[in-house]
């Protein structure tokens, strides 16, 4: 080995944000059997899902308006199944509560392959959920993430009561309490209905968490490739009310 080569081997090279993003996305692609960020020659399974973040949000809310009005479309699941055998390109991702009354695919009048949905009681972004959102953004090219809370959330209400009574809940439920507790504590300083405030704050906190999740999601947000927003699903009407973006 020449002296120059030997010297180069000992010179540290700081990776750029772009190189970190590409490396992480490529690793995700290999892990899930694909090549991240690679432009395939074939058309995406659902070309209509290739949208800008703003266009994706518009489409999402138009679907909710149809659902609320009771005029949801009839989806050709047979054709969609066939088209999606070789892959997927959802136009939006939703982090929703696991509550049985909340069904994002219905609430946004969507077909198969349209929404990438993660559901957990209390709609909070744990490590597995953050990783899932990284996958849908970096590998599938999803341009929009919605954190969707809902009124009368049992997980948030249980967290409020557990903290107030200083009484731990049974089984693994305390893990939910730990995740939701920061929002409940912040909301306790606000005026108004404690449960409503905590539900809203929990959505706000998790939007912020996903926006800042390094190295993949925060870079995608900064580059304008993805938008992360929050909303509240109203049980009585089915309406999804978007929260102001900060």
């Amino acid at each position: 080995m020449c002296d120059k080569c030997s010297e180069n081997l000992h010179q540290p090279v700081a990776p750029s944000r772009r190189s970190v993003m590409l490396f992480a996305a490529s690793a995700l692609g290999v892990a899930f059997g694909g090549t991240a960020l690679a432009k395939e020659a074939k058309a995406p399974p659902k070309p209509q899902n290739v949208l800008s973040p703003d266009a994706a949000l518009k489409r999402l809310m138009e679907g909710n308006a149809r659902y609320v009005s009771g005029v949801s479309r009839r989806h050709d699941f047979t054709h969609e199944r066939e088209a999606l055998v070789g892959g997927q390109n959802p136009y939006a991702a939703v982090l929703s509560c696991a509550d049985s009354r909340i069904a994002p695919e219905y609430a946004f009048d969507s077909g198969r392959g349209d929404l990438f949905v993660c559901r957990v009681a209390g709609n909070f972004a744990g490590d597995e959920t953050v990783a899932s959102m990284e996958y849908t953004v970096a590998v599938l090219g999803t341009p929009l993430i919605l954190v969707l809370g809902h009124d009368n959330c049992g997980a948030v209400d249980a967290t409020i009561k557990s903290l107030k009574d200083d009484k731990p809940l049974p089984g693994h439920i305390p893990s939910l309490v730990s995740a939701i507790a920061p929002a409940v504590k912040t909301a306790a300083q606000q005026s108004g209905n404690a449960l409503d405030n905590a539900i809203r704050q929990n959505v706000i906190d998790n939007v912020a968490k996903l926006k800042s999740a390094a190295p993949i999601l925060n870079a995608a947000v900064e580059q304008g490739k993805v938008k992360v927003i929050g909303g509240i699903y109203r049980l009585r009407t089915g309406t999804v009310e978007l929260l102001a973006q900060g």
Side-chain angles (χ1 to χ4, degrees):
M1 181 181 296
C2 68
D3 292 341
K4 184 175 181 59
C5 293
S6 179
E7 290 175 3
N8 289 340
L9 285 175
H10 292 85
Q11 293 179 357
V13 179
S16 66
R17 174 179 288 276
R18 176 177 172 78
S19 65
V20 170
M21 176 77 173
L22 288 173
F23 175 79
S26 297
L28 277 171
V30 171
F32 285 93
T35 303
L37 303 182
K39 300 297 183 181
E40 297 183 3
K42 63 180 181 180
K46 303 189 80 169
Q48 67 271 31
N49 285 0
V50 180
L51 300 168
S52 69
D54 287 337
L57 177 57
K58 182 174 183 291
R59 179 174 168 188
L60 197 70
M61 297 312 293
E62 287 174 347
N64 181 243
R66 291 194 302 273
Y67 168 73
V68 171
S69 300
V71 292
S72 295
R73 294 170 176 169
R74 181 183 182 280
H75 295 279
D76 182 1
F77 290 125
T78 301
H79 173 72
E80 289 179 343
R81 282 198 299 267
E82 191 175 314
L84 294 166
V85 169
Q88 59 174 318
N89 63 309
Y91 76 88
V94 181
L95 168 53
S96 170
C97 184
D99 192 299
S100 64
R101 298 167 293 180
I102 316 301
E105 292 84 357
Y106 287 136
F108 297 106
D109 188 24
S110 63
R112 296 176 191 267
D114 287 342
L115 301 183
F116 186 92
V117 180
C118 294
R119 302 186 66 177
V120 62
N123 47 268
F124 63 88
D127 288 346
E128 295 84 357
T129 299
V130 173
S132 296
M133 292 301 176
E134 288 176 335
Y135 169 69
T136 196
V137 168
V139 180
L140 305 181
T142 305
L144 179 70
I145 297 175
L146 169 66
V147 178
L148 184 62
H150 67 96
D151 40 25
N152 298 325
C153 181
V156 176
D157 190 38
T159 299
I160 293 173
K161 293 175 180 176
S162 178
L163 293 177
K164 181 179 179 181
D165 300 337
D166 193 21
K167 182 178 179 182
L169 297 173
H172 292 79
I173 300 177
S175 65
L176 301 180
V177 173
S178 296
I180 302 170
V184 169
K185 292 175 181 178
T186 298
Q189 309 303 317
Q190 303 167 359
S191 60
N193 182 279
L195 178 56
D196 290 345
N197 289 342
I199 289 168
R200 185 177 185 277
Q201 189 63 49
N202 187 45
V203 170
I204 292 172
D205 287 356
N206 283 284
V207 167
K209 182 173 184 178
L210 290 174
K211 277 185 175 181
S212 62
I216 295 175
L217 296 182
N218 66 336
V221 169
E222 290 173 8
Q223 295 166 12
K225 294 180 178 178
V226 67
K227 179 172 287 188
V228 185
I229 61 174
I232 304 292
Y233 179 92
R234 300 303 180 188
L235 293 173
R236 188 173 298 277
T237 64
T239 300
V240 172
E241 298 176 3
L242 297 180
L243 302 183
Q245 299 176 45

